[in-house]
Amino acid sequence: MLPEPFLCMKRVFNFSAGPAALPDEVLRTAAEEMLDWHGSGMGVMEMSHRGPEFISICDQAFSDLRELLAVPADYDILFLQGGGIGENAIVPMNLIGRLAEQGRQPAADYVVSGSWSVKSFKEARKYGDIRVVASNETEGFTAFPDPAGWKLNDDSAYVHVCTNETIHGIECHVPPEVGQKDGRVLVADVSSHILSRPMNISRFGAVYGGAQKNIGPAGVTIVIVRKDLLGHALPITPSAFDWKIVSEFGSMYNTPPTYAIYVAGLAFQWIKRQGGLAAIEQRNVAKAKLLYDFIDGSDFYLNNVEKGSRSRMNIPFFLADESRNKDFLGGAKARGMVQLKGHKSVGGMRASIYNAMPLEGVQALVDYMREFERKS
């Protein structure tokens, strides 16, 4: 049982883009089990990753994630380390090698839709012929590039997209078709909206994401990859990042981030108790609509993203009078709302409203924004 001071502790509404807020239930369970997991006399951080206790935790996490996302049987789920940025290198090292095996130039196509896909493209260029086939940079990253205008190459191993741009607040709501020319597949960085909605995993060759948005603490990276794409890593690929080796060892080729996997597993179970991803999506739609409708109805606040590309998870906005930014943030903090400052590269404000953010938190923000506007 948790001590009384912990139970009475006041929690803020945390709008951080990541590491982000976790559900209170998840944190309470983790706290209760910190010293003794299920009568084992050990905390999860102390367990051998090869012992039966942690193996059961990991197996349950794999099973629950597969169930939540309806991952087909011909796909593997991997738990790795290095975050989404690490996968910017690990993805090309694992996926362009099959072209080299055929005596072809290792090549891939990248769609640039914001800061994170720019990072992905720049990193991938170290490993092959990487081409930008669509970009919205000249428009200021205000809409996801229309797939009708993508200039795909027939010789690419894969087409890479970031389906939710955390900094610019852009979301790809429907995975595009990229054809199957010479085995070409769609690959997505889904870090900041995975588990916020149902996903048709079969539309992708692979998806990946860091856990620290909708899943758990930083430290574990999730990769879901079609099994026939395994086994083609470039010779330079470190063994710990060769997806085939990681798969063969059940994500335990090296010591995995055990505690992060454990907390992620608690989050999977929490999502199931909420009714699964269909119910979670309904809540996320309602939260995003509440905030966007208020912004659109105000002359004091502005969101620059085209409506069809707006993210449900990350909502950037600007004050008409940006000299008031510091006052706005100070007032929000005084009312128990934190981490609203926009990314340093774009400025303004940003409200990240992942799964753990309740509707009450978004309502509190809207009420404060209305009050601040009235008093300005």
Side-chain angles (χ1 to χ4, degrees), residues 45-355:
M45 284 185 283
E46 306 170 292
M47 292 176 179
S48 166
H49 63 293
R50 303 197 186 280
E53 295 87 0
F54 182 73
I55 293 294
S56 69
I57 291 171
C58 197
D59 286 349
Q60 188 65 54
F62 277 127
S63 176
D64 287 339
L65 181 57
R66 186 174 289 276
E67 178 185 343
L68 282 169
L69 284 170
V71 177
D74 60 336
Y75 283 73
D76 255 347
I77 300 174
L78 311 176
F79 293 151
L80 291 95
Q81 297 170 75
I85 286 183
E87 288 299 322
N88 286 342
I90 296 168
V91 164
M93 284 193 287
N94 276 274
L95 292 181
I96 61 177
R98 56 196 174 97
L99 298 184
E101 292 169 359
Q102 300 167 13
R104 298 161 58 194
Q105 171 73 15
D109 293 343
Y110 275 63
V111 175
V112 170
S113 56
S115 293
W116 291 111
S117 49
V118 168
K119 289 179 183 291
S120 299
F121 165 69
K122 288 181 177 179
E123 183 68 22
R125 292 174 64 187
K126 299 175 183 178
Y127 307 102
D129 182 15
I130 310 298
R131 294 78 57 102
V132 172
V133 295
S135 174
N136 61 357
E137 187 168 9
T138 57
E139 291 79 32
F141 296 129
T142 56
F144 189 80
D146 183 356
W150 295 4
K151 296 178 172 58
L152 302 180
N153 295 284
D154 290 341
D155 62 346
S156 61
Y158 63 88
V159 180
H160 180 281
V161 297
C162 177
T163 46
N164 191 78
E165 291 280 1
T166 317
I167 293 175
H168 291 92
I170 293 172
E171 187 167 6
C172 173
H173 293 281
V174 180
E177 294 281 0
V178 299
Q180 297 293 322
K181 182 72 175 179
D182 292 329
R184 180 175 60 207
V185 297
L186 182 65
V187 175
D189 175 354
V190 297
S191 295
S192 53
H193 73 162
I194 187 172
L195 296 185
S196 70
R197 57 163 72 207
M199 288 182 65
N200 184 356
I201 296 296
S202 63
R203 293 283 293 272
F204 302 89
V207 300
Y208 66 91
Q212 65 273 17
K213 313 287 187 177
N214 268 323
I215 295 175
V220 62
T221 309
I222 291 170
V223 173
I224 304 173
V225 56
R226 210 173 66 202
K227 293 180 180 179
D228 65 296
L229 298 174
L230 301 174
H232 305 287
L234 295 173
I236 62 170
T237 306
S239 297
F241 297 138
D242 184 324
W243 288 348
K244 184 174 188 294
I245 293 174
V246 175
S247 174
E248 289 173 344
F249 280 81
S251 293
M252 294 192 188
Y253 177 74
N254 62 327
T255 304
T258 55
Y259 197 75
I261 291 171
Y262 157 70
V263 178
L266 295 180
F268 301 155
Q269 292 165 22
W270 176 81
I271 292 172
K272 290 172 67 174
R273 290 195 298 273
Q274 308 314 301
L277 294 184
I280 287 289
E281 180 178 31
Q282 289 181 353
R283 288 165 49 169
N284 288 330
V285 168
K287 291 185 297 183
K289 183 177 188 304
L290 175 60
L291 184 49
Y292 280 123
D293 282 354
F294 174 76
I295 292 171
D296 290 343
S298 167
D299 294 328
F300 192 81
Y301 302 98
L302 174 68
N303 173 276
N304 294 319
V305 179
E306 292 184 11
K307 289 186 177 181
S309 295
R310 284 176 166 177
S311 170
R312 296 174 183 169
M313 298 287 97
N314 311 102
I315 302 180
F317 61 93
F318 300 87
L319 276 62
D321 179 2
E322 292 207 272
S323 69
R324 302 297 311 281
N325 285 0
K326 186 175 180 180
D327 292 338
F328 179 89
L329 292 169
K333 184 176 181 180
R335 289 161 177 77
M337 292 174 283
V338 301
Q339 303 292 333
L340 281 164
K341 186 176 181 180
H343 191 271
K344 61 184 180 181
S345 66
V346 297
M349 309 297 161
R350 174 175 54 176
S352 293
I353 53 176
Y354 300 118
N355 290 348

Side-chain angles (χ1 to χ4, degrees), residues 351-364:
S352 293
I353 53 176
Y354 300 118
N355 290 348
M357 174 61 66
L359 182 64
E360 293 77 12
V362 181
Q363 185 64 61

